[in-house]
Amino acid sequence: MKKPEHPFRFVTVSYITRIGNQVATNLGELRDGLEMCSDASIFYHTFQSLSRYHFLTEGFSNEFAQWVLAALNSPMLAEQLAAPDIRAYLTLSDLRTDLLSITDQYCRSHPEETGRLAFEPFYFLESIEVTTPHTWEAWTLEEFRHWLEHISNESFHYHFLVSRLRSGLRTNDFSLWFENELGLKSLAQLTNRIDVYTNTLEGARAILNTFIDRELAA
Amino acid sequence: MTLTKPDTHVISLDAYVPLLGAPEIDELRVLAAQLSGRTVQMVNSTAMGGGVAEILNRLIPLMQELGLRPRWDVITGGEDFFEVTKAFHNALHGGPYQARKENFEVFLATNEMNRQRLQFDCEFTVIHDPQPLALIEARTRQEGHWLWRCHIDLSKPNAEVWGFLRPFVYRYDGALFSSPEFARQLPIPQYLSYPCIDPLSEKNVDLDPAVIQEVVERFGIDPSRPIITQISRFDRLKDPIGVVRAYKIVRRYMDCQLVLAGGSADDDPEGEIVLEEVRREAKEDPDIHLLNLPPWSATEINALQRASTIIVQKSLREGFGLTVTEALWKKKPVVASSVGGIPAQVIHKHTGLLVHSVEGAAYQIRYLLSNPALAQKLGEQGHDHVRENFLITTNVKRYITIFLHSMQHS
């Protein structure tokens, strides 16, 4: 393990939700909304919903898919919309393109469903992110392990998932620091493979702690 | 009416650590540290009674503990003012209203009297609900941040009343609504701010099993058989008759009891009529328990919710539905109508089951009674959902985040 040139600096994050003016009451309007809504709205209903509902570890991926299932009763489209893994996306624009393409294709092949009224409307909401640097910083893996226990789920989610949108890299803040600053490539890779879809954020953090403990014991 | 100094309850943030974990509370402190010493003014129309006062009673001491300098002012007014604002309230919910010029004059004169009586020198001013809305007149320069927190459903307002109030709303820096469904198209930013419950309040705090048993037995309910419960005042919009009909369908297939527990109907003639209608529908079924509870029954409601096998909320219209929040917090499986703020809480098949009819409610109740493992899982996930999104601590965090965002963008 090499000595880092830069510490890992933890960030506190908090979100407020802005109510937009877009509403979908049927599938066609969802498709239009996906095309027109802001990036902040795509973020809210995908990346951030994974944090808000992290305790759902079975069958929940994003709010678009959930609405299609619960309000439109279209399980096939719901499954397709649930399939994109947000970890594969480095921009919200790419994620929007895929969600829109899935919805558009479904609408074309099921035109009779596009105008069917949903049980309840879908409101396009937006996330507003407010970050605050922590005074907590880690110069060693032991210190990192210590502070990791102290951060909130939102902060963990910010470093572990949202980081991709900031860095434009298919990795997370933790893995980047492990590899670039500590020279721990294997730990970085293991960390990046932790599945947030089948784990709660607490569960994902516990797995990361196990990897770190193993590294420290080696 | 005179100014009432709110009687704030002192519960330390540390008391929430066992429920939420130390990291969540620590980060709340980190966020709030940036607002240390900043002044906040909350203004509403009542110090006691009602959900807003209940929330402010908790919010103010928590903000104080976090280093902010909050102040809570309650507007005063004569009976004529409160009659007008009550009529406005009903009209904003979509009820019919014949507005008279003098009603608007009373509203404006009382707001003006309060503008002169109160001080408005805080960095953040939050005006709650329509009654003190015109206090925005106190903002003579673009100083400070003024927010309007609207706790009511504005989705179908009476055009004349809304037309009168709307110009005041436009002068705020932002508006907060309890559900996107309740918001209007406005030229100012609108934020989502869910209502919340306090897990340490009498209605939600953990109870000794002996207390639960005592309450259940006092009401003649058999704790050894399944209990289906709806907690709601006796109001047609809560569809108590629909609940009785759903129960009767369930009873064709399985043994269970029904508890309909609501607030006192003594001062509500319509409530008394609805209660009588429900009695007729119940047809003296000994397993249907209609409990007309007085307002001071928080522990009884808490116990009834905790004793229940399934909680139902079969409303035809609903605000946010805090009884659902309370049930989810107690890890109860919930079967609820997909109306108002309920879908935000009951994520279908994840934190409960949404229904659209009496038959649907009956089917889902049977399904849960037959699948206790699923019922338990829904209850546990519902509890987690409330912990993450609908507690008083989240409410404090939301205000702090909005204040920080306002500061950064002013």
Side-chain angles (χ1 to χ4, degrees):
Chain A
M1 198 182 311
K2 71 176 187 180
K3 196 173 175 197
E5 287 181 19
H6 305 98
F8 188 92
R9 293 198 167 92
F10 290 94
V11 167
T12 296
V13 66
S14 182
Y15 295 95
I16 44 174
T17 304
R18 189 166 166 167
I19 302 170
N21 288 329
Q22 276 180 292
V23 183
T25 58
N26 60 42
L27 187 54
E29 289 176 359
L30 177 71
R31 179 191 54 198
D32 296 345
L34 280 168
E35 195 169 6
M36 306 291 292
C37 73
S38 64
D39 279 356
S41 188
I42 296 287
F43 178 83
Y44 178 87
H45 296 294
T46 56
F47 273 84
Q48 218 220 324
S49 73
L50 203 58
S51 167
R52 282 198 311 282
Y53 305 129
H54 72 93
F55 48 87
L56 304 178
T57 56
E58 282 175 32
F60 187 92
S61 172
N62 62 65
E63 288 178 330
F64 298 119
Q66 177 64 25
W67 182 73
V68 165
L69 181 69
L72 288 178
N73 196 22
S74 296
M76 189 166 105
L77 177 60
E79 283 176 15
Q80 291 169 347
L81 283 172
D85 182 338
I86 58 169
R87 291 169 300 177
Y89 293 91
L90 304 181
T91 69
L92 292 166
S93 167
D94 289 345
L95 179 55
R96 177 205 302 271
T97 301
D98 284 358
L99 293 169
L100 183 57
S101 167
I102 291 166
T103 310
D104 194 48
Q105 279 180 28
Y106 187 88
C107 286
R108 284 174 199 277
S109 55
H110 300 78
E112 73 286 358
E113 289 186 31
T114 52
R116 196 173 65 202
L117 195 64
F119 286 131
E120 73 251 6
F122 183 88
Y123 294 93
F124 287 85
L125 306 175
E126 297 178 347
S127 283
I128 297 174
E129 185 181 276
V130 174
T131 56
T132 310
H134 254 303
T135 52
W136 305 338
E137 56 181 39
W139 284 94
T140 65
L141 194 56
E142 288 90 343
E143 283 177 3
F144 179 90
R145 170 78 166 78
H146 171 77
W147 291 123
L148 188 64
E149 296 272 10
H150 286 73
I151 63 172
S152 69
N153 283 334
E154 276 185 333
S155 181
F156 181 84
H157 175 264
Y158 176 82
H159 285 298
F160 194 59
L161 283 170
V162 183
S163 51
R164 284 157 216 265
L165 300 176
R166 288 195 311 276
S167 69
L169 299 170
R170 287 187 202 284
T171 186
N172 61 81
D173 287 348
F174 304 142
S175 292
L176 268 179
W177 189 71
F178 294 155
E179 183 165 352
N180 295 345
E181 297 293 329
L182 301 180
L184 298 172
K185 193 172 179 182
S186 165
L187 178 62
Q189 286 173 345
L190 279 171
T191 301
N192 205 34
R193 280 191 215 123
I194 296 171
D195 189 353
V196 285
Y197 284 94
T198 55
N199 286 291
T200 63
L201 290 175
E202 288 101 347
R205 191 185 331 205
I207 294 169
L208 176 54
N209 278 336
T210 311
F211 292 156
I212 294 171
D213 289 343
R214 216 180 292 162
E215 183 66 41
L216 288 170
Chain B
M1 190 177 286
T2 56
L3 177 68
T4 311
K5 192 166 173 60
D7 172 26
T8 51
H9 304 278
V10 180
I11 294 181
S12 161
L13 269 172
D14 287 338
Y16 295 89
V17 169
L19 302 173
L20 299 172
E24 303 298 327
I25 301 301
D26 285 349
E27 289 215 352
L28 190 54
R29 290 193 168 104
V30 171
L31 273 175
Q34 295 172 89
L35 294 170
S36 180
R38 302 272 181 173
T39 50
V40 177
Q41 181 177 22
M42 297 276 174
V43 184
N44 79 320
S45 63
T46 174
M48 281 175 292
V52 179
E54 203 173 305
I55 288 171
L56 291 176
N57 255 313
R58 298 291 190 183
L59 200 66
I60 297 290
L62 289 175
M63 282 186 172
Q64 273 169 344
E65 188 179 343
L66 285 165
L68 287 80
R69 289 164 55 206
R71 191 169 83 214
W72 177 7
D73 287 313
V74 180
I75 58 166
T76 60
E79 275 181 28
D80 53 350
F81 172 71
F82 287 101
E83 276 169 20
V84 166
T85 55
K86 188 175 178 187
F88 278 13
H89 178 92
N90 292 336
L92 289 170
H93 271 105
Y97 183 60
Q98 282 294 326
R100 294 202 311 265
K101 188 169 167 249
E102 54 265 38
N103 295 347
F104 297 128
E105 287 169 358
V106 166
F107 180 87
L108 292 175
T110 307
N111 267 265
E112 174 58 20
M113 182 266 288
N114 280 286
R115 186 188 71 77
Q116 291 180 24
R117 188 178 61 81
L118 299 172
Q119 265 194 308
F120 295 94
D121 52 2
C122 289
E123 285 154 285
F124 303 98
T125 303
V126 183
I127 302 292
H128 291 261
D129 279 336
Q131 298 93 331
L133 185 64
L135 289 178
I136 188 71
E137 298 282 1
R139 187 188 204 183
T140 50
R141 288 169 292 167
Q142 287 302 308
E143 284 179 349
H145 306 275
W146 283 64
L147 296 164
W148 183 47
R149 173 65 173 102
C150 178
H151 296 267
I152 64 176
D153 179 353
L154 276 189
S155 57
K156 296 180 187 78
N158 172 284
E160 195 173 0
V161 174
W162 176 237
F164 168 72
L165 296 174
R166 193 172 47 201
F168 297 110
V169 176
Y170 287 4
R171 293 165 63 186
Y172 284 79
D173 295 312
L176 285 72
F177 291 92
S178 299
S179 161
E181 194 181 341
F182 299 168
R184 305 290 304 160
Q185 290 216 344
L186 297 172
I188 59 171
Q190 297 179 74
Y191 305 104
L192 183 60
S193 182
Y194 291 123
C196 59
I197 59 166
D198 188 335
L200 301 177
S201 70
E202 191 185 346
K203 210 190 274 184
N204 295 304
V205 74
D206 264 345
L207 289 179
D208 190 310
V211 174
I212 298 171
Q213 188 170 344
E214 183 277 317
V215 170
V216 167
E217 288 175 354
R218 196 197 320 156
F219 291 122
I221 302 163
D222 178 357
S224 67
R225 295 162 56 214
I227 303 168
I228 317 297
T229 300
Q230 174 161 301
I231 306 284
S232 277
R233 63 183 187 274
F234 291 95
D235 178 330
R236 290 195 184 94
L237 290 178
K238 308 296 179 187
D239 199 16
I241 291 183
V243 179
V244 173
R245 289 177 181 162
Y247 155 83
K248 285 180 176 175
I249 296 173
V250 176
R251 274 298 295 257
R252 289 183 212 153
Y253 303 90
M254 42 209 358
D255 179 38
C256 62
Q257 306 161 88
L258 177 66
V259 175
L260 289 174
S264 169
D266 292 348
D267 59 347
D268 178 3
E270 191 174 89
E272 199 66 63
I273 294 165
V274 175
L275 181 56
E276 193 45 46
E277 289 169 1
V278 178
R279 276 198 193 106
R280 279 201 298 275
E281 186 69 29
K283 289 180 183 155
E284 297 186 359
D285 181 334
D287 284 329
I288 298 180
H289 303 271
L290 303 179
L291 309 179
N292 194 2
L293 302 174
W296 50 88
S297 306
T299 299
E300 282 78 3
I301 288 170
N302 189 347
L304 288 169
Q305 287 170 324
R306 289 183 187 279
S308 298
T309 317
I310 294 170
I311 301 277
V312 176
Q313 190 63 54
K314 219 212 122 326
S315 305
L316 303 175
R317 269 189 79 181
E318 190 56 79
F320 185 70
L322 280 174
T323 50
V324 171
T325 327
E326 290 162 10
L328 294 175
W329 176 247
K330 295 169 182 111
K331 300 187 179 180
K332 293 297 161 182
V334 170
V335 174
S337 299
S338 183
V339 294
I342 290 176
Q345 304 181 65
V346 176
I347 307 166
H348 188 54
K349 296 185 180 176
H350 289 291
T351 62
L353 298 173
L354 290 175
V355 295
H356 308 271
S357 63
V358 168
E359 294 76 11
Y363 175 78
Q364 300 294 21
I365 292 167
R366 283 167 56 203
Y367 184 61
L368 289 178
L369 287 176
S370 308
N371 293 278
L374 173 68
Q376 186 183 347
K377 185 177 171 186
L378 293 178
E380 281 168 2
Q381 293 188 158
H383 171 85
D384 288 343
H385 189 26
V386 174
R387 189 190 63 195
E388 301 277 332
N389 298 294
F390 308 121
L391 294 185
I392 184 76
T393 43
T394 315
N395 202 305
V396 176
K397 190 175 184 180
R398 205 172 285 128
Y399 273 115
I400 286 169
T401 309
I402 289 177
F403 295 161
L404 287 170
H405 174 70
S406 302
M407 274 168 53
Q408 288 166 6
H409 290 83
S410 59

